[in-house]
């Protein structure tokens, strides 16, 4: 069911590092957009499948080393401001100060 898929989608966000979460509204929008009703299920009930963009599995066309990223950041010639949420992907303090 869509309700079960929404619950599972919300739970997957909590499996990432940090305090990741996904609101019910966001999960519902993602699930409704991605779910497609399938022909039939093996038990005769409703069946769904998820569609996704297969390009998400393609290898990246650009890779950078930590040194390259730090070099680019050092070369920035204007004022910058880091805005970081309280909840989200954890970033080590030393990386923020680099």
């Amino acid at each position: 069911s869509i309700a079960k898929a929404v619950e599972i989608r919300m739970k997957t966000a909590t499996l990432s590092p940090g305090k990741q979460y996904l609101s019910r509204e966001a999960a519902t929008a993602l699930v409704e957009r991605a779910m497609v009703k399938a022909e039939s299920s093996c038990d005769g009930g409703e069946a769904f499948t998820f569609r996704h963009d297969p390009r998400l599995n393609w290898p990246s066309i650009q890779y950078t080393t930590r040194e390259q990223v730090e070099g680019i950041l050092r070369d920035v010639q204007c004022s910058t401001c880091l805005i970081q949420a309280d909840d989200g992907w954890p970033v080590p303090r030393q990386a923020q100060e680099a």
Side-chain angles (χ1 to χ4, degrees):
S1 74
I2 290 179
K4 185 174 183 176
V6 168
E7 291 297 325
I8 292 169
R9 183 63 186 92
M10 289 172 63
K11 184 176 181 186
T12 59
T14 66
L15 301 176
S16 297
K19 299 177 184 175
Q20 304 294 318
Y21 68 92
L22 187 63
S23 71
R24 181 168 305 283
E25 294 79 17
T28 300
L30 290 169
V31 166
E32 287 177 348
R33 185 177 67 200
M35 281 182 78
V36 178
K37 191 164 180 130
E39 293 292 322
S40 64
S41 69
C42 57
D43 65 0
E46 281 190 307
F48 295 93
T49 184
F50 283 90
R51 62 178 168 223
H52 70 281
D53 186 341
R55 294 174 294 181
L56 295 172
N57 294 325
W58 289 4
S60 176
I61 60 171
Q62 179 178 348
Y63 293 94
T64 54
T65 65
R66 181 179 188 91
E67 292 78 21
Q68 289 171 319
V69 172
E70 289 173 352
I72 291 168
L73 294 175
R74 274 193 304 275
D75 287 345
V76 173
Q77 299 294 314
C78 60
S79 299
T80 60
C81 176
L82 172 65
I83 300 174
Q84 185 174 355
D86 292 332
D87 296 334
W89 197 270
V91 178
R93 179 66 57 195
Q94 67 186 32
Q96 295 174 26
E97 296 169 357

